[in-house]
Amino acid sequence: MRWVPLLLLVAACGGGGGGGGPLPAIEQQASFGIVRADAPTQLDVQISNPFEADAAAEDMGGAGGPFAPAAGALPADVPEGGTLLLRVVFTPPGPGVQSGEIHVKFVAGKREQEVVLHLAATVETPAITLLTPTLAFPTTFVGLEEALNIRVRNPNAQTLVNLTSISAVPAEFTTSFQPRSIFPGDTTSIRVAYEPQVVDAFDFEIEIGNDVGPPLRVRVTAQSEEQAQEVVTEFGTVPVVGGETDWLEIDVPDDAISISIESIATSTSAWVGLLGFEGPAGKVYENDSFTGEFLWVPGFEGVFAATLPENDSATLQLVPGGGTYRFRLFLWSGSASSLEVRAIVERRAGGVPDESRIDLNVFLAPGLAITGPETDTKLQDVLSRVDDIFGQIGLAVGDVDYYQLGDTAYNSVSESEFPALLGETSVASGTRMNVFFVQTAIGGGVLGVAAALPGPKLNASGVSGVMVDYDWSNAAAVGQVTAHEIGHYLGLYHTAESDGQTWDIIEDTLECPGECTTASGGYLMHWQYVGSTVPVITDGQAHVILGHPLVDPAPSLASLAQKKAPEAAFVELPAGFCGTCKEHK
């Protein structure tokens, strides 16, 4: 039997080395480094052809694990002296260091060579960082908005982080959250806005869901307060003994911007005045000798009103820090057994706001035949001009209610009829700046008149508003006169009177004509403004206007739907124009 030579032949052919037995495997190392935890990662590994001939590379399987050749990577032909570019796919089984092997066999003819590819990867532990664990909103005024950002960072080197959800927030809060991805090393912001509608306080948590860990928890604290408060002290019926009242006191907080004193006598024939007015730390505005700097006008029709500050001088301002003020009233003329007295304190947290509004009650004489005031072109242009004029100090015409007068006697209003006309404000649903448009004012002697300087925040009295001749000119001029009269009612005197020797008490208005390049200085409150541009309201005048109780510190809630600038130019006001003449009182 000849089986021995056969065995020798098998032994001679069993290896790849030409009679020396199997070639030892070639060991090769490759590392993925740090890899993301949420998706497979690929790495291209170069393996040299170990033969000096063309070879075929095959997958031998190996130890297995999370590493495997990419689909279609093997088998592959590798030329002599060439390199196999093997794409390896690593599927992370979990965080931490992972290792494995891939065995590749190179075949060239009858020769074979095994290459063991040792692979390693460090799978990062996914993380997410909350950079703002607390949102502490500053005290926020009702109706205004404050916004802060929640900042979230992805600290990972490779792993993408997804924000998936956010918990519900109270109605006063809104967020800019949308599901999003954060790339490694990046930071994203989620805007949170707080717009309180009432005075309230909040302390709650926002939860932000993500795909790498438990929800992020952000504590939110917020507190709101009224930007403006009107504090009314009702003294009720105050006896008048010997022609005067006792001292009356009011406590004024440190955020007050004005104090208004109002009284109504039991008789409309009584004229009421101010016998004393004092502030904290011995501050005297008016004394019983009437030599104080505070300027006041005796109350017409039994109604008295005065507001501090009444100008921009340092001596006629509220005492800083708040405190107790006191005043007393007396009968300038006429008789009355008592007065109904109140004090109105306007509080403005943070000072006078940049934007304010004044709402209007507009009364229309029947002879004007304005049947649709909301769409009447001239009327809306008149009100638009008023809005333009006061807009220079941030004061907008706000909501407007319209009332049609039924009595034809109010088409042409005499001085004696004026108080009764203003009494028609009793039908108004709200206490606002009352404006009456008529065909003829005071028998044609004036184009406009305000019943008081300043006027009270009061309806149904003989001094509750202003009156304007509507038919005398175009919308621009009528609007100018209307703004002029409203300016009086809110506390402004003429910057100059017709005598050329009497001026107002505002320090930043020039004494025209001597100090002015034009006779009127362009001022809204000049006794006879002439010009074609929007008349000027100074900062000092604005200081007075914005403290009046009829001025609301919020932006316009319902600006005029038909608002548009009048096309007509201003015209020169005739000699009959005097606005509120102090002599009328």
Side-chain angles (χ1 to χ4, degrees):
M1 296 182 64
R2 301 181 61 186
W3 47 271
V4 173
L6 179 61
L7 289 177
L8 293 175
L9 177 61
V10 172
C13 297
L23 295 174
I26 298 173
E27 308 285 340
Q28 186 170 333
Q29 307 288 331
S31 176
F32 280 72
I34 299 175
V35 299
R36 58 192 292 179
D38 59 337
T41 303
Q42 297 181 348
L43 177 68
D44 289 333
V45 181
Q46 291 185 344
I47 305 175
S48 298
N49 181 353
F51 297 112
E52 295 179 355
D54 294 344
E58 303 174 357
D59 182 8
M60 294 180 67
F67 302 92
L74 293 173
D77 294 327
V78 185
E80 178 185 354
T83 299
L84 169 67
L85 186 64
L86 179 64
R87 178 158 293 177
V88 179
V89 178
F90 170 62
T91 303
V97 177
Q98 303 290 335
S99 61
E101 298 176 354
I102 293 177
H103 293 246
V104 179
K105 180 173 65 174
F106 284 82
V107 179
K110 297 181 178 180
R111 294 175 296 170
E112 299 178 355
Q113 175 67 64
E114 179 182 5
V115 176
V116 179
L117 183 60
H118 298 277
L119 297 156
T122 300
V123 182
E124 64 184 354
T125 301
I128 188 170
T129 302
L130 179 62
L131 300 179
T132 48
T134 300
L135 292 185
F137 283 89
T139 299
T140 305
F141 299 138
V142 171
L144 300 183
E145 180 185 275
E146 288 284 350
L148 298 174
N149 288 323
I150 298 173
R151 299 181 65 242
V152 179
R153 184 174 181 271
N154 179 354
N156 303 306
Q158 300 292 336
T159 304
L160 196 72
V161 171
N162 295 299
L163 301 184
T164 58
S165 63
I166 193 167
S167 61
V169 297
E172 290 82 355
F173 294 81
T174 56
T175 77
S176 66
F177 177 84
Q178 291 183 338
R180 68 190 71 175
S181 298
I182 313 175
F183 290 98
D186 285 353
T187 299
T188 191
S189 294
I190 301 169
R191 183 178 187 269
V192 180
Y194 172 45
E195 187 173 357
Q197 301 305 308
V198 297
V199 174
D200 208 343
F202 295 90
D203 191 339
F204 64 96
E205 278 192 343
I206 293 176
E207 291 191 355
I208 303 171
N210 62 88
D211 63 350
V212 298
L216 303 174
R217 290 181 171 84
V218 181
R219 182 186 177 193
V220 180
T221 59
Q223 170 71 54
S224 63
E225 68 177 33
E226 293 284 359
Q227 181 185 17
Q229 290 180 294
E230 185 173 85
V231 181
V232 181
T233 301
E234 297 281 2
F235 295 99
T237 301
V238 177
V240 176
V241 180
E244 62 187 57
T245 69
D246 285 337
W247 287 97
L248 303 173
E249 293 187 348
I250 50 173
D251 290 325
V252 177
D254 60 2
D255 61 356
I257 65 165
S258 69
I259 303 170
S260 295
I261 300 167
E262 297 183 354
S263 74
I264 304 174
T266 51
S267 170
T268 57
S269 64
W271 290 64
V272 179
L274 194 61
L275 190 58
F277 188 15
E278 299 176 359
K283 176 68 175 178
V284 176
Y285 299 98
E286 180 59 293
N287 54 48
D288 58 8
S289 299
F290 311 120
T291 57
E293 292 187 69
F294 190 76
L295 183 63
W296 50 271
V297 177
F300 176 60
E301 283 285 310
V303 179
F304 174 77
T307 297
L308 176 74
E310 62 177 0
N311 69 3
D312 53 346
S313 72
T315 58
L316 289 175
Q317 306 302 310
L318 298 181
V319 176
T324 300
Y325 290 72
R326 66 175 194 159
F327 63 93
R328 57 178 176 163
L329 303 169
F330 80 111
L331 297 179
W332 177 272
S333 66
S335 62
S337 61
S338 64
L339 305 174
E340 293 293 322
V341 183
R342 68 176 180 173
I344 304 173
V345 174
E346 296 295 330
R347 300 180 61 185
R348 303 289 185 269
V352 178
D354 293 334
E355 292 183 293
S356 300
R357 79 173 192 272
I358 184 164
D359 298 331
L360 305 180
N361 290 325
V362 172
F363 294 81
L364 303 169
L368 300 179
I370 300 175
T371 57
E374 294 88 351
T375 57
D376 184 87
T377 300
K378 179 177 179 180
L379 179 59
Q380 294 305 316
D381 283 352
V382 167
L383 298 180
S384 186
R385 175 54 63 186
V386 174
D387 187 72
D388 289 340
I389 291 171
F390 286 116
Q392 65 188 288
I393 62 170
L395 177 60
V397 170
D399 195 26
V400 182
D401 284 345
Y402 299 95
Y403 299 89
Q404 294 283 355
L405 296 170
D407 192 341
T408 57
Y410 292 140
N411 288 329
S412 179
V413 181
S414 66
E415 185 167 2
S416 61
E417 293 171 327
F418 188 34
L421 174 72
L422 298 181
E424 294 290 327
T425 54
S426 61
V427 304
S429 59
T431 304
R432 298 176 169 185
M433 181 68 236
N434 298 309
V435 179
F436 287 78
F437 290 117
V438 299
Q439 289 180 290
T440 307
I442 314 299
V446 297
L447 301 177
V449 60
L453 195 168
K457 185 178 183 179
L458 179 69
N459 284 349
S461 81
V463 298
S464 296
V466 303
M467 175 174 61
V468 175
D469 185 326
Y470 186 81
D471 281 344
W472 77 277
S473 187
N474 59 45
V478 173
Q480 177 183 317
V481 173
T482 304
H484 180 103
E485 302 311 328
I486 291 174
H488 280 312
Y489 201 87
L490 299 181
L492 298 182
Y493 291 90
H494 286 147
T495 54
E497 296 293 351
S498 58
D499 61 9
Q501 299 177 354
T502 307
W503 297 278
D504 67 7
I505 56 175
I506 304 293
E507 293 193 345
D508 70 351
T509 57
L510 301 177
E511 294 186 353
C512 300
E515 299 179 3
C516 300
T517 56
T518 62
S520 66
Y523 293 129
L524 170 69
M525 300 311 298
H526 190 273
W527 80 277
Q528 188 181 34
Y529 170 73
V530 177
S532 59
T533 58
V534 173
V536 173
I537 302 174
T538 68
D539 290 341
Q541 291 174 317
H543 183 66
V544 174
I545 287 175
L546 298 177
H548 193 280
L550 285 174
V551 172
D552 192 314
S556 175
L557 297 178
S559 295
L560 305 177
Q562 304 298 320
K563 180 181 174 183
K564 54 188 178 231
E567 296 179 0
F570 286 107
V571 299
E572 180 173 337
L573 303 182
F577 172 66
C578 73
T580 300
C581 299
K582 285 184 285 185
E583 294 80 7
H584 176 67
K585 301 293 184 293

